[in-house]
Amino acid sequence: MTHPYEKYENTELWKKIEQALDELVENQDIEEITKREYIVGYICKKLAETEEAK
């Protein structure tokens, strides 16, 4: 299934964010209701926009 954040998949940033989310879910700090790829992709997009604005 495709999603609007595919260009960020397989990047180091994606991997780090996904790992952080894994830890938060495992520790029961957050509960995911949205599909993981949309959560990770959105965060990647926002961070990329921040970097571009510098």
Side-chain angles (χ1 to χ4, degrees):
M1 181 176 231
T2 63
H3 55 82
Y5 306 109
E6 286 183 344
K7 72 179 185 178
Y8 300 109
E9 280 191 63
N10 300 316
T11 64
E12 199 59 37
L13 180 59
W14 184 283
K15 292 174 191 172
K16 288 179 182 180
I17 292 170
E18 191 159 45
Q19 181 181 15
L21 284 173
D22 283 339
E23 293 170 8
L24 289 168
V25 170
E26 185 178 317
N27 292 334
Q28 297 180 346
D29 293 323
I30 64 169
E31 182 180 331
E32 293 176 78
I33 342 174
T34 304
K35 288 184 178 183
R36 173 67 66 101
E37 57 265 19
Y38 285 88
I39 298 170
V40 176
Y42 181 79
I43 295 170
C44 285
K45 177 183 174 228
K46 292 309 247 181
L47 290 172
E49 289 172 354
T50 301
E51 285 299 310
E52 290 170 5
K54 286 185 176 181

